[in-house]
Amino acid sequence: MSVASANRAPRPPRRRRLGADRRRAAYLMLAPSVIHLVWWIGLPVVATFGLAFTHYDVIAGTIQWAGLDNFREIFADDIWNRSIWHTIIFTFFTVPVAMAIAVFIAVLLNQQIRARAWYRAAFFMPHITATVAIALVWMWMFEPTLGLFNLLLDRVGVNGPAWLSDPDWAMPAVILVSIWKGIGLKMLIYLAALQNIPHDLYEAADLDGASGLRRFFAITLPLLKPATFFVFIVSMIDAFQVFDQVYVLTPDGGPANSTTVMTYEIYRTAFSEFNISVACAQSLVLFAFLLVLTVIGRRLTGKDADEA
């Protein structure tokens, strides 16, 4: 053996070199997404946490440490406190009602019925339709004199309310639109979960003489728990971040601020009053609500998600 060949470094195994090449390729492909996440999500999140504890004048460009002053200010604000209550009411009615309707529709559309694919597409269509377009259609339906709802109520001798301009009816109107719009996605998720339930379980239940209602509560509902946890968490987050329907249906937070929710108040504080620091503090409060609700949802519906 020559001295040159003896001093030559051993070549790395082919498998090791292949693994390194794959890692480099993976890093290169992930880089655009990571840069996007850091620039458009990571930095704004960090800035929000920082600005929430400062007095930031966006016009003068000055910034001063404020401590907890912004949080004291928002919780002393009656409109902000009402927006929290309105958001809780909105979530309380939209999430469980829409989930219950979505389960019912998914069970029906999981049967062998004629034009099943058409019905599925029809129920899912509102989810992919622009919220502004939906809100404009519902604004006509809620119109006090020529709207569809009041015309139907007039047929049965009932004087319909001024839905979107009445403080007592504005929030129910927004809730109704949100339930209708949100059913499609929930239905699709439940439908996918239903199709993964083994048919052997239903056949065994039929042999035992179980009724349809009994099969639903003993087989279908327990096996839908992982899907229910996912739908619940996504729906809660979506409900607490509602903005489009409120903004279009009831501008300026509705009559007497009856539809002012947390996201709308954050928007108004930041872009109407240009009080960025207070808006950041409000955003942190919203984040805390979502975090707590996610943990509670995990406790209530997600205990057996890993086992199911």
Side-chain angles (χ1 to χ4, degrees), residues 71 74-75 80 84 262 280-290:
F71 294 93
I74 63 176
F75 285 112
W80 172 249
I84 296 177
M262 296 172 73
C280 289
Q282 293 170 338
S283 300
L284 289 190
V285 174
L286 176 60
F287 170 76
F289 267 99
L290 293 176

Side-chain angles (χ1 to χ4, degrees), residues 9-292:
R11 300 180 65 182
R14 179 178 178 82
R15 183 176 299 176
R16 185 181 302 173
R17 288 187 288 107
L18 183 60
D21 293 340
R22 287 179 175 177
R23 283 195 296 272
R24 278 196 295 270
Y27 293 149
L28 288 175
M29 288 186 286
L30 286 173
S33 297
V34 172
I35 294 173
H36 177 271
L37 288 173
V38 171
W39 183 259
W40 294 108
I41 298 179
L43 292 180
V45 168
V46 173
T48 299
F49 274 86
L51 291 175
F53 299 94
T54 64
H55 291 307
Y56 175 55
D57 190 335
V58 66
I59 298 177
T62 59
I63 185 170
Q64 296 177 346
W65 177 254
L68 298 177
D69 291 347
N70 293 327
F71 294 93
R72 297 189 187 98
E73 178 179 345
I74 63 176
F75 285 112
D77 184 4
D78 181 62
I79 296 179
W80 172 249
N81 292 329
R82 290 177 62 187
S83 73
I84 296 177
W85 178 241
H86 292 161
T87 305
I88 293 174
I89 293 175
F90 177 87
T91 304
F92 179 78
F93 284 101
T94 56
V95 173
V97 173
M99 289 177 65
I101 297 175
V103 170
F104 177 74
I105 295 174
V107 171
L108 292 180
L109 295 184
N110 197 39
Q111 311 299 319
Q112 296 295 331
I113 60 176
R114 182 178 298 179
R116 183 174 59 176
W118 187 91
Y119 285 119
R120 292 175 179 176
F123 278 107
F124 186 69
M125 191 66 67
H127 177 72
I128 60 176
T129 305
T131 305
V132 175
I134 290 175
L136 290 175
V137 173
W138 280 85
M139 285 177 67
W140 167 77
M141 296 172 67
F142 286 131
E143 210 279 326
T145 55
L146 300 176
L148 177 62
F149 289 139
N150 282 1
L151 288 177
L152 294 176
L153 290 175
D154 186 63
R155 292 289 181 89
V156 295
V158 177
N159 293 325
W163 295 90
L164 299 178
S165 58
D166 189 335
D168 295 329
W169 288 99
M171 179 58 77
V174 174
I175 289 173
L176 180 61
V177 176
S178 301
I179 291 174
W180 177 81
K181 186 181 186 326
I183 288 175
L185 180 62
K186 300 175 181 63
M187 178 271 298
L188 192 66
I189 296 172
Y190 278 125
L191 189 60
L194 286 170
Q195 293 175 352
N196 288 326
I197 297 178
H199 290 283
D200 298 342
L201 298 176
Y202 294 108
E203 294 175 359
D206 288 335
L207 293 176
D208 291 337
S211 63
L213 195 62
R214 176 65 177 172
R215 291 197 302 268
F216 175 77
F217 285 103
I219 299 175
T220 304
L221 208 56
L223 293 180
L224 287 179
K225 183 170 287 189
T228 299
F229 169 67
F230 176 77
V231 172
F232 178 77
I233 296 302
V234 172
S235 301
M236 293 288 285
I237 294 174
D238 185 61
F240 264 79
Q241 293 180 334
V242 60
F243 178 80
D244 296 353
Q245 349 11 349
V246 175
Y247 183 80
V248 179
L249 289 171
T250 55
D252 299 325
N257 289 310
S258 58
T259 61
T260 300
V261 290
M262 296 172 73
T263 51
Y264 187 85
E265 186 61 20
I266 293 171
Y267 161 80
R268 183 161 56 186
T269 302
F271 299 106
S272 295
E273 302 174 4
F274 297 101
N275 198 338
I276 303 300
S277 298
V278 173
C280 289
Q282 293 170 338
S283 300
L284 289 190
V285 174
L286 176 60
F287 170 76
F289 267 99
L290 293 176
L291 182 63
V292 171

